[in-house]
Amino acid sequence: MPPPSATEPRAGDEAKANTVAPHEPGLNQKEGKMSMLNFPKPPKFDDAYKERAYLKGRLAAAFRIFGKYGFDEGVAGHITLRDPVDPTTFWVNPFGIAFSLMKASDLILVDAKGQVIGGGACRLLNTAAYMIHHAVHSARPDVIAAAHSHSIYGRTFCALGRKLDTITQDSCAFHNDHVLYESFKGVVLAEEEGNNIARALGDKKAALLQNHGLLTVGQSVEEAVFWFVSLEKCCQAQLMADAAAGGRGGETQKIAEEDAVYTHSTVGSTLAGWFSAKPMFDVVHKETNGDYLE
C-alpha cells in the first residue's frame, strides 16, 4: 500500500491536513525522518593517529580541488586542519608547493608558537597562514578546518565593501552566517590582525575580507572546502546579477527573510556542507588515482 500523501487525512484526525511537506513525493513525515537515519555521515575513529592519517589525506585532496578550480595565485592561499592528536597544532600546506601537486606527505605540522614541528621535506611556513589560522583555530574550538585563498570572484566581490545578498538558494547557506571584515592592512604578518579577523568571524562560517579574499571554516575539511567553493560561486552569481540588473535600470530580487532562514537550515548545516563536498573529493580521487594520499 503506498504511503499517504502530504494532504491525506490521518486516522482519527480527518479534519486536519498534514501541512508538513514530505522529503520526496509520496513520502510522509514519519518515514522521511526514519530515512534520515541512514544519511551518510563523516567516518568516526577510535584512534587519533588513524584519524590523523585519514584527515591528512582529505586535506591533500582539498588542495587538489583548489588547484582544479583555479584558486591558486602564485604562492598565496592556505587550508588548515586541526590535528586530532594534539588539537593545539594544525596541518597546513608548505609555502611554495603547488596546490595541484600536493600530497599528504608534503603537509607540515605547526604548533601554537608558529614553529614547524613535523611534516614534509619542505618546511617553509607562510606567516600569513599561521597568523590567520592560528587565531581562528584558537578562537573557535569547533573549527576543524579553515580555508583562505585569493579566488578571482571572491576577491572581486570583496572589493565592494559589502556583504552578500540572499538572491539564490545557494546563497541561503550564508544567510546571517557570514561577515564582512572591513579592515585591510596588507599581508597578514601581525598577530593582532589575525586576532581581529577571528574576532570579526565570530561564530559564522565565512568572512569576506575586504580588498583581500574569502575565508571559510567548517567542522570537517570537506565542509570548509565546500563553503569556499560555494561562496566563490555566490560572489560570481551576484556580480553577474547586479551587473545585469543595473544594465536594465533595476535591482535583484531578494529572498524573503522567513524563506531564507528556513532554507539556511537545510542547505547551510554542517552535515549539508560535508555531504555537498563529497562528489568533488570523489572526482579528485578518481582523476588522480589517489596519488595525493602518498
Side-chain angles (χ1 to χ4, degrees), residues 33 37 63 103 123 141 163 178 188 221 228 242 262 278:
K33 288 183 177 180
L37 298 176
F63 285 108
K103 296 182 178 181
R123 298 197 172 185
K163 290 172 65 177
H178 74 289
V188 183
V221 173
F228 192 98
D242 282 347
Y262 173 77
K278 184 179 180 298

Side-chain angles (χ1 to χ4, degrees), residues 192-228:
E192 180 183 4
E193 184 73 351
N195 289 335
N196 288 341
I197 291 173
R199 190 176 302 112
L201 177 65
D203 62 353
K204 310 304 184 186
K205 65 160 61 86
L208 304 175
L209 308 181
Q210 187 168 293
N211 305 114
H212 192 172
L214 309 180
L215 172 69
T216 59
V217 300
Q219 294 182 28
S220 66
V221 173
E222 292 89 344
E223 185 188 0
V225 167
F226 181 74
W227 296 143
F228 192 98

Side-chain angles (χ1 to χ4, degrees), residues 30-31 34 39 56 74 98 102 124 127 139 150 153 180 190 207 212 215 229 241 249 256 265 275 278:
K30 179 179 179 181
E31 291 172 335
M34 292 176 62
F39 201 82
K56 285 178 64 181
M102 198 68 64
L124 292 175
T127 301
H150 301 170
Y153 296 107
L180 171 66
H212 192 172
L215 172 69
V229 172
S265 69
F275 189 59
K278 184 179 180 298

Side-chain angles (χ1 to χ4, degrees), residues 145-208:
H148 167 67
S149 193
H150 301 170
S151 53
I152 185 64
Y153 296 107
R155 70 192 190 202
T156 301
F157 190 81
C158 286
L160 302 179
R162 57 181 292 193
K163 290 172 65 177
L164 202 67
D165 291 332
T166 309
I167 57 173
T168 65
Q169 176 173 302
D170 302 286
S171 65
C172 288
F174 303 98
H175 185 72
N176 295 331
D177 207 2
H178 74 289
V179 300
L180 171 66
Y181 179 66
E182 298 182 84
S183 175
F184 178 75
K185 298 180 179 179
V187 179
V188 183
L189 301 178
E191 182 177 358
E192 180 183 4
E193 184 73 351
N195 289 335
N196 288 341
I197 291 173
R199 190 176 302 112
L201 177 65
D203 62 353
K204 310 304 184 186
K205 65 160 61 86
L208 304 175

Side-chain angles (χ1 to χ4, degrees), residues 126-139:
N126 184 334
T127 301
Y130 168 71
M131 291 302 177
I132 296 174
H133 292 258
H134 170 66
V136 170
H137 283 291
S138 296

Side-chain angles (χ1 to χ4, degrees), residues 7 30 38 57 73 94 103-104 107 152 189 195 206 235 244 248:
T7 57
K30 179 179 179 181
N38 298 319
E73 180 77 14
K103 296 182 178 181
L107 301 170
I152 185 64
L189 301 178
N195 289 335
C235 288
R248 295 172 61 87

